[in-house]
Amino acid sequence: MARYQVILAYDGTQFKGMQRQARGRTVQGVLEEALRQLGWQGRSALSAGRTDAGVHASGQVAAFDLDWRHTPEDLLKALNALLPEDAAARAVKAATPKFHPRYDAIARRYTYRLFCQPQRDPLRERYAWRVWPAVSLRPMQQASRELLGSHDFASFGSPPKKGGPTVREVLWAEWDQEGDAFSFHFEANAFLYHMVRRTVALLVEVGQEKTDWMIMRALLYDPQPGIVQELAPAHGLELTEVRYPERE
Amino acid sequence: MARYQVILAYDGTQFKGMQRQARGRTVQGVLEEALRQLGWQGRSALSAGRTDAGVHASGQVAAFDLDWRHTPEDLLKALNALLPEDAAARAVKAATPKFHPRYDAIARRYTYRLFCQPQRDPLRERYAWRVWPAVSLRPMQQASRELLGSHDFASFGSPPKKGGPTVREVLWAEWDQEGDAFSFHFEANAFLYHMVRRTVALLVEVGQEKTDWMIMRALLYDPQPGIVQELAPAHGLELTEVRYPERE
């Protein structure tokens, strides 16, 4: 029996998120189902974090203990033969016996995609939020710079445990623009529940000049839980990477 | 009553192609259903061409006669409110009374997308073909240059009417590469049935160095109907534009 780490990619459209639930199809559920067909008898596969229903991932991380007589490369192929079309293993490797994808993670990276068009566009909306009126890059970039460093993000989300700490350290918060398409790169040591989607919702309001970029500074200096009500839609969001100390 | 031209975008995954059929959901079918709700009583909406089941479009063109009292802009909004999520009107304008999207077209442009990865990737495979072993750009580009100009494409597809002409004029045939992702731009005055997908299938064999790029020249100089059996999958293909003389 050894512990394995697997990097997962999934199209979140048909999943009720990562984490197994009493009802509904989840990524953890389909992973465990595949593992069971390989002889796994564990109680629960571990993961780096829940993602909301509809959120995509190219770099979600899971771990499990398995009695596997072949190479990790063979395990990768076996998993991909058993996982459904909208989920796949990107890489598998042996992990240290105590490796925990959530507790050992030192940073998570997300990309949020949007594009600015007045009319629906079925070929782009599966993986990006259609926003109209159009946003301007400059105020969104300016507001995003305020996010860098350690701040109390209580205005933007709730902690995993009620009353838990709401300070997070942001390592990267930057927009890219390519024509009418915008991508927001957001990396932190950890995120509060809904933090990415609420932050993006506010940044878009700033980008549409409905509010000034200084609001970001104000909300980080004087946190007001519950004040940011809007939630950017899940389908624009992708978990792209979970980072670990070198040894993992 | 006036004739309108509409540019359609659709995610082809859930469609049995553009053209109405006895069975199965088609883009023409959902367009006509939307039009009927706007009072349309025509027999058939016209389109620039059938696309195969699963093929996507950002620039398909359709036309219909409608008694519409408001602006084309209003018609665009009305159509988008009535069309399903995976199809949308990108633009609507008044056309000349005899405008026919197929017969008046002077050129069609397609993009075929693929990427080279050994493992499945659910976030990319909806709109691109996963190819492995990886292709090399240079031989594919070299073979593609042979396509330019007027040639008998009988090796690559069949004409709309049995025994009809198989000469087509290619205006653009070029690959782009970005990392492991390749896009093939293919424009011609018109295409034979399956011509894009068979051409791409052969180009990929050339790119994988299973066959030499000179095969392209040989098959264009000495056409051999039925010789190219492989068909690149529909989900990598997108109809991006149909071109008309200036007046349309």
Side-chain angles (χ1 to χ4, degrees):
Chain A
M1 192 82 101
R3 184 154 292 191
Y4 291 92
Q5 179 195 104
V6 54
I7 298 178
L8 294 171
Y10 47 87
D11 179 323
T13 312
Q14 305 290 335
F15 288 109
K16 301 270 173 231
M18 178 69 202
Q19 201 165 38
R20 186 160 21 98
Q21 295 177 10
R23 272 158 210 275
R25 182 172 179 263
T26 66
V27 180
Q28 187 183 346
V30 299
L31 173 64
E32 290 174 352
E33 213 172 294
L35 287 172
R36 254 178 236 114
Q37 294 182 62
L38 301 175
W40 178 78
Q41 295 179 323
R43 240 179 353 134
S44 195
L46 306 170
S47 77
R50 54 204 266 179
T51 48
D52 294 342
V55 170
H56 310 292
S58 51
Q60 173 69 277
V61 177
F64 49 84
D65 295 321
L66 186 69
D67 189 13
W68 180 255
R69 310 295 172 106
H70 314 280
T71 65
E73 181 67 23
D74 290 330
L75 181 51
L76 172 66
K77 286 179 192 160
L79 282 172
N80 281 336
L82 294 168
L83 285 168
E85 212 183 12
D86 54 353
R90 302 287 303 149
V92 172
K93 63 176 185 179
T96 53
K98 300 267 180 202
F99 170 69
H100 192 297
R102 180 144 56 103
Y103 303 136
D104 291 348
I106 53 174
R108 282 94 173 155
R109 188 175 285 187
Y110 286 92
T111 299
Y112 196 98
R113 294 186 183 84
L114 60 85
F115 68 100
C116 300
Q117 279 290 334
Q119 297 298 327
R120 295 198 289 112
D121 190 338
L123 282 177
R124 302 175 74 185
E125 289 184 62
R126 195 174 178 94
Y127 305 120
W129 180 22
R130 184 174 67 82
V131 164
W132 196 257
V135 295
S136 305
L137 181 63
R138 195 208 283 245
M140 293 199 299
Q141 207 71 287
Q142 200 142 19
S144 300
R145 275 194 289 270
E146 297 293 319
L147 295 164
L148 292 170
S150 283
H151 301 281
D152 182 341
F153 282 93
S155 310
F156 294 91
S158 41
K161 281 181 187 159
K162 210 179 164 178
T166 50
V167 172
R168 297 292 185 272
E169 188 187 359
V170 171
L171 305 161
W172 192 21
E174 191 176 15
W175 290 86
D176 269 346
Q177 182 180 359
E178 230 190 287
D180 67 359
F182 295 76
S183 298
F184 180 55
H185 306 285
F186 202 10
E187 181 180 342
N189 64 334
F191 286 88
L192 300 173
Y193 184 57
H194 281 163
M195 178 171 151
V196 185
R197 293 168 62 192
R198 288 200 202 286
T199 304
V200 169
L202 185 67
L203 288 171
V204 164
E205 290 199 356
V206 169
Q208 291 178 324
E209 288 166 24
K210 290 179 184 165
T211 184
D212 192 88
W213 68 269
M214 289 286 295
I215 183 122
M216 189 62 84
R217 184 176 293 181
L219 291 178
L220 293 172
Y221 278 73
D222 180 16
Q224 300 184 38
I227 199 172
V228 181
Q229 303 262 333
E230 288 76 23
L231 211 52
H235 65 267
L237 184 56
E238 179 181 327
L239 172 60
T240 57
E241 200 182 338
V242 183
R243 290 171 56 201
Y244 298 96
E246 273 312 311
R247 64 181 165 82
E248 296 293 355
Chain B
M1 193 81 101
R3 184 154 293 191
Y4 290 92
Q5 179 196 106
V6 54
I7 297 177
L8 294 171
Y10 47 87
D11 178 323
T13 313
Q14 305 290 333
F15 288 109
K16 299 270 174 230
M18 178 69 202
Q19 201 165 38
R20 186 160 22 100
Q21 294 177 10
R23 275 157 208 275
R25 182 172 179 262
T26 67
V27 180
Q28 186 183 347
V30 300
L31 173 64
E32 290 174 352
E33 213 173 292
L35 286 171
R36 254 177 236 114
Q37 293 183 63
L38 300 175
W40 179 78
Q41 295 179 322
R43 240 176 357 130
S44 195
L46 307 169
S47 75
R50 53 205 266 179
T51 47
D52 294 341
V55 171
H56 311 292
S58 52
Q60 173 70 278
V61 177
F64 49 84
D65 294 320
L66 186 70
D67 189 14
W68 179 254
R69 311 295 171 107
H70 314 281
T71 65
E73 181 68 25
D74 290 331
L75 180 51
L76 173 65
K77 286 179 192 159
L79 281 173
N80 280 336
L82 294 168
L83 286 167
E85 212 181 13
D86 53 354
R90 303 286 303 149
V92 173
K93 64 175 184 179
T96 52
K98 300 268 180 201
F99 170 70
H100 193 297
R102 178 144 58 103
Y103 303 136
D104 291 348
I106 52 173
R108 283 92 172 153
R109 189 176 284 186
Y110 286 91
T111 299
Y112 196 98
R113 294 185 182 85
L114 60 86
F115 68 99
C116 300
Q117 279 291 335
Q119 297 298 328
R120 295 199 290 113
D121 190 338
L123 283 177
R124 303 175 74 185
E125 289 184 61
R126 195 174 180 93
Y127 304 120
W129 180 22
R130 183 174 68 81
V131 165
W132 195 257
V135 295
S136 306
L137 181 63
R138 196 208 283 244
M140 292 200 300
Q141 207 70 288
Q142 200 143 17
S144 300
R145 274 194 290 269
E146 297 294 317
L147 296 164
L148 291 171
S150 283
H151 301 282
D152 183 342
F153 282 93
S155 310
F156 295 91
S158 41
K161 282 179 189 161
K162 210 179 163 180
T166 50
V167 173
R168 297 292 184 271
E169 188 187 359
V170 171
L171 306 161
W172 191 21
E174 191 176 15
W175 290 86
D176 268 347
Q177 183 180 358
E178 230 190 287
D180 67 359
F182 295 76
S183 299
F184 179 55
H185 306 286
F186 201 10
E187 181 180 342
N189 65 334
F191 287 88
L192 301 173
Y193 183 56
H194 281 163
M195 176 171 153
V196 185
R197 294 168 61 191
R198 289 202 202 283
T199 305
V200 169
L202 184 67
L203 288 171
V204 164
E205 291 199 356
V206 169
Q208 290 178 326
E209 289 165 24
K210 290 178 184 165
T211 185
D212 192 87
W213 69 269
M214 288 286 293
I215 184 126
M216 188 63 84
R217 183 176 294 181
L219 291 178
L220 293 172
Y221 278 73
D222 180 15
Q224 300 184 38
I227 198 171
V228 181
Q229 304 263 335
E230 289 74 24
L231 211 52
H235 65 268
L237 184 56
E238 179 182 327
L239 172 60
T240 57
E241 200 181 338
V242 183
R243 291 170 56 199
Y244 297 96
E246 272 313 310
R247 65 182 163 81
E248 296 294 355

